[in-house]
Amino acid sequence: MIDTLTIALSKGRILEQTLPLLATAGLPPEEDVQHTRKLIVNGPKIENTQVRFLVLRAADVCTYVEQGAADMGIAGRDLLLEHQPHVFEPLDLQIGRCRMCICGPRELVERGKPETGSRIRVATKYDNLTRQYYLEHGIHAEVIHLYGSMELAPLVGMADRIVDIVETGSTLKANGLVEETTLFDISSRLIVNPASAATKQKLIHPIVQTLRAALQSA
Ligand code: PRP
């Protein structure tokens, strides 16, 4: 019987940077994962194991790996901190680098940070991180959940600030927003389902080692 090793990949901006890493690990997808509409794409066969890739929305990678539907995956630190999945995180892949920031309209940010005890409205897709940050700082934050284009919320008066990832800063600039506080740096991590780490150790361990060596020599 043929075994499978299933790897969950994030669609979008980090997929392009993921492909050279997969090639380094000897795991090139058989098809162009950036453009195919297929959700499962085969990779190579390693002895008796068929490698396959799931091409997912970034926010779903943690779920597939935590549930064991994928053995491994590539997920941003932002999503790992937000959702706290029960997965191993053996490697910082050093791709998808950006930062999590609190941002707002320039005039508001120039007036200073909100005072302890004040009330603000914050638009984000990182509800947990946002609540936790403002709770720690004694500020009553009403969190408004959005799925994308957070920068719009302050422009139409729906929120005072946003908590979102910033990479080049061009989206902020184009919308008249500035960074108020940098919360933490982000990069993509290799994640592994704990049960798979045990049962498929002979397959997963060499992949992790190869990637680690490649990252150290880069
Ligand atoms: C992300 C993020 C910002 C933007 C930051 O959005 O939410 O909007 O990228 O990048 P920049 O600093 O290089 O401009 P993304 O394009 O992934 O789409 P989304 O708004 O749908 O999440």
Side-chain angles (χ1 to χ4, degrees), residues 26-217:
L27 304 170
E30 271 180 5
E31 288 178 52
D32 178 358
V33 285
Q34 282 179 288
H35 297 107
T36 183
R37 299 292 298 170
K38 277 194 189 172
L39 301 173
I40 303 181
V41 172
N42 272 346
K45 226 184 211 173
I46 306 173
E47 293 173 7
N48 205 29
T49 300
Q50 176 66 58
V51 175
R52 57 180 199 167
F53 299 99
L54 309 184
V55 187
L56 305 171
R57 287 182 65 129
D60 290 333
V61 168
C62 295
T63 307
Y64 276 76
V65 175
E66 186 175 38
Q67 294 293 323
D71 300 299
M72 312 166 73
I74 295 176
R77 185 176 179 227
D78 52 332
L79 295 165
L80 293 167
L81 291 175
E82 172 69 15
H83 299 297
Q84 305 275 333
H86 293 99
V87 295
F88 292 150
E89 196 189 309
L91 273 185
D92 179 349
L93 297 171
Q94 297 166 28
I95 57 171
R97 288 180 188 278
C98 52
R99 53 197 184 275
M100 179 72 67
C101 297
I102 302 172
C103 310
R106 178 175 294 284
E107 325 76 69
L108 180 77
V109 171
E110 283 174 354
R111 272 189 260 139
K113 293 185 180 179
E115 285 173 16
T116 306
S118 61
R119 290 184 182 276
I120 61 168
R121 293 167 306 158
V122 188
T124 190
K125 56 178 157 189
Y126 302 96
D127 300 23
N128 296 329
L129 292 172
T130 302
R131 284 206 182 90
Q132 187 185 333
Y133 174 85
Y134 283 112
L135 194 66
E136 283 167 7
H137 288 78
I139 292 156
H140 303 285
E142 179 192 340
V143 174
I144 300 170
H145 184 85
L146 293 175
Y147 293 92
S149 303
M150 263 71 78
E151 293 84 357
L152 181 59
L155 305 186
V156 295
M158 189 165 77
D160 310 300
R161 288 169 175 78
I162 63 171
V163 170
D164 194 13
I165 56 171
V166 178
E167 186 183 0
T168 61
S170 56
T171 311
L172 289 180
K173 197 170 171 203
N175 293 290
L177 304 180
V178 294
E179 291 178 36
E180 184 178 66
T181 304
T182 302
L183 301 181
F184 51 84
D185 289 327
I186 296 168
S187 56
S188 295
R189 309 297 164 104
L190 186 71
I191 58 171
V192 180
N193 173 274
S196 301
T199 58
K200 299 187 181 180
Q201 193 216 7
K202 279 193 184 145
L203 278 165
I204 292 174
H205 185 66
I207 294 171
V208 174
Q209 292 296 90
T210 306
L211 286 172
R212 179 173 289 127
L215 291 164
Q216 280 168 356
S217 65

